[in-house]
Amino acid sequence: MALHLKIITPMRTAVDTDVTSVLVPSAQGEMEVLPGHADIIAAMDNGELTYRPVADAPKSVFVGGGFLQVDGEDVMLVTDTVLEAHEIDASSIEAAVAKAQEAYRNQASVLSREESTRLAANIARQLAMLEYKRKKHL
């Protein structure tokens, strides 16, 4: 028995395939979805999503936060970011993180709570993306 995995962003359908399992970075920790999984809606975190296409080797992508819905044998993830390792430029991310961290340190007292939270979340996302890239290409 297979699951049907669909990962969508506002710009495209990134993955649309039958799979035997999906390992997702949920907000509560990693969660594996297998055939027969209970229906669920869960918040997702930044991180690596690994899936095993039917009769193929496991594949993985970096996903930004979002929401996962399991409905019967249909698994749908709605997110704003889906990237394969080769699409991530580690040096650009490192430079952006360093710049953002410096701005955060220098401007922390003048940033509103909302701006500070948004900047911290952006830094966390970039660091998670960099960790995924390093894991896949070291």
Side-chain angles (χ1 to χ4, degrees), residues 2-6 15-19 22 73-76:
L3 300 165
H4 187 80
L5 173 64
K6 186 179 268 193
V15 175
D16 189 0
T17 189
D18 289 333
V19 300
V22 183
E73 301 307 315
D74 293 320
V75 179
M76 184 181 338

Side-chain angles (χ1 to χ4, degrees), residues 7 18 20 24 33-34 40-41 43 57 59 70 73 93 97 99-100 122 128 130 137-138:
I7 303 174
D18 289 333
T20 57
V24 297
V33 179
L34 298 167
I40 188 172
I41 295 177
K59 297 182 180 184
V70 178
E73 301 307 315
I93 292 173
V97 166
K99 186 176 179 179
N122 188 20
L130 191 56
H137 287 283
L138 281 183

Side-chain angles (χ1 to χ4, degrees), residues 3-7 15 19 21-34 37 40-52 59-70 74-79 135:
L3 300 165
H4 187 80
L5 173 64
K6 186 179 268 193
I7 303 174
V15 175
V19 300
S21 66
V22 183
L23 186 63
V24 297
S26 81
Q28 291 77 34
E30 282 190 331
M31 175 175 71
E32 187 168 21
V33 179
L34 298 167
H37 195 285
I40 188 172
I41 295 177
M44 303 309 301
D45 204 356
N46 301 315
E48 180 178 8
L49 179 142
T50 304
Y51 60 99
R52 183 180 290 275
K59 297 182 180 184
S60 73
V61 293
F62 175 85
V63 294
F67 291 93
L68 175 81
Q69 178 181 10
V70 178
D74 293 320
V75 179
M76 184 181 338
L77 175 66
V78 179
T79 182
K135 179 180 172 184

